[in-house]
Amino acid sequence: MRIEFKQSKAPQFDTLPLINIVFLMLVFFLVAGTIAPVYELDVSPASAKDSEAGELRRPAVFVSRDGKISFGQREVAMDQIQESISAAKLDPQLGLRIAADRDADAHLLLNVITAVQKASDVPIFLVTLRSD
Amino acid sequence: MLEPIATIRRPLPITPLIDVVFLLLMFFMLAASFQKEGELQVQSAGSQLEQATDTKPLFIRLHADGSTDVNGQTVPAKELGREAANLISANDKLAGAVVQVRQGTNTQLVVQSLMQLRRARVEPVALAR
């Protein structure tokens, strides 16, 4: 008597549903997400529920939680800010955006704001995260 | 005579396609951000408030431990806006506020307080140290 063994076939893996899902996820991330801005200092701004929607302009001044300040994509010392800002000739229509970390020392931020006000009369905006 | 080359229809290989789509997916998953940025106009004391001579600003202090006070009265940080608006509406000699930031306060408390004052329509608000 001959016993027939079943040929063990590898099950055919159907890739089409997989691609469908991956495409759907791709489209979701393309549509729903915006490319995260890359800041030169590690800054996560304070959250404020209904602050005004900011235009998607890059902040010019960054204040990090460990007390570092940067302006124009390079780090500056506190006593050089006023000088750099008056040299930069800012557009009063656009104003100046400051991104300060939520845990940054507010006194440092205030010093920066005062220095900017002394150097130029552009409106100053603090960047917030609208957590809604 | 040349024989016509038989055109063989091969199924389109989808593996490279999936590879690329996976790469794109990875990129957009890692680079996407769902947080929306907002902005809040600020000014430090010294410009506008000094011009108004017939009215006085409220004096608000923010402390390092997260407590706040309005004209010396301790107020919970969440009630700051309402309390300030009440005081201003009760006294027409009062307008606007000066927010004094004490040593060691963090930026979150400042932003939160400014947002409350704005919601309560207390204007103008200036920061001081």
Side-chain angles (χ1 to χ4, degrees), chain B residues 27-44:
Chain B
F27 170 75
F28 282 104
M29 275 176 82
L30 294 176
S33 141
F34 296 97
Q35 281 174 328
K36 286 183 197 139
E37 273 187 7
E39 60 186 21
L40 176 67
Q41 191 168 1
V42 288
Q43 61 172 353
S44 74

Side-chain angles (χ1 to χ4, degrees), chain A residues 75-92:
Chain A
E75 243 180 273
V76 280
M78 185 61 231
D79 49 1
Q80 288 166 353
I81 287 208
Q82 199 175 328
E83 210 177 301
S84 337
I85 283 178
S86 34
K89 297 221 167 50
L90 301 166
D91 184 353

Side-chain angles (χ1 to χ4, degrees), chain A residues 15 19 22-23 25-26 29-30 32-37 39 46-48 50-54 97 100-107 109-111 113-114 117 123-130, chain B residues 14 17-18 21-22 24-25 27-45 47 101-112 114-115 118-119 127-129:
Chain A
T15 46
I19 305 167
V22 171
F23 258 117
M25 285 168 74
L26 180 65
F29 280 102
L30 269 170
T34 49
I35 302 288
Y39 294 160
S47 56
D50 42 358
S51 50
E52 272 155 39
R97 299 184 86 209
D101 193 278
R102 65 186 68 184
D103 293 321
D105 180 19
H107 263 193
L109 174 65
L110 217 70
N111 287 345
I113 293 174
T114 312
Q117 268 185 3
I124 302 167
F125 299 95
L126 267 186
V127 174
T128 58
L129 289 184
R130 296 198 300 150
Chain B
I14 48 174
L17 175 77
I18 305 170
V21 171
F22 258 116
L24 284 169
L25 181 66
F27 170 75
F28 282 104
M29 275 176 82
L30 294 176
S33 141
F34 296 97
Q35 281 174 328
K36 286 183 197 139
E37 273 187 7
E39 60 186 21
L40 176 67
Q41 191 168 1
V42 288
Q43 61 172 353
S44 74
S47 47
V101 181
R102 304 303 295 266
Q103 185 77 45
T105 312
N106 62 17
T107 304
Q108 176 69 52
L109 182 65
V110 176
V111 169
Q112 208 177 303
L114 290 179
M115 279 312 297
R118 170 187 287 231
R119 252 173 258 150
L127 291 170
R129 55 175 296 173

Side-chain angles (χ1 to χ4, degrees), chain A residues 24-101:
Chain A
L24 272 179
M25 285 168 74
L26 180 65
V27 171
F28 170 74
F29 280 102
L30 269 170
V31 172
T34 49
I35 302 288
V38 181
Y39 294 160
E40 56 257 35
L41 289 180
D42 184 21
V43 161
S44 56
S47 56
K49 222 184 273 171
D50 42 358
S51 50
E52 272 155 39
E55 298 155 57
L56 286 167
R57 272 185 296 111
R58 256 186 86 73
V61 178
F62 295 86
V63 181
S64 77
R65 84 174 60 187
D66 49 0
K68 287 187 193 135
I69 305 161
S70 92
F71 172 68
Q73 306 195 3
R74 53 196 170 83
E75 243 180 273
V76 280
M78 185 61 231
D79 49 1
Q80 288 166 353
I81 287 208
Q82 199 175 328
E83 210 177 301
S84 337
I85 283 178
S86 34
K89 297 221 167 50
L90 301 166
D91 184 353
Q93 296 276 303
L94 293 176
L96 179 86
R97 299 184 86 209
I98 301 179
D101 193 278

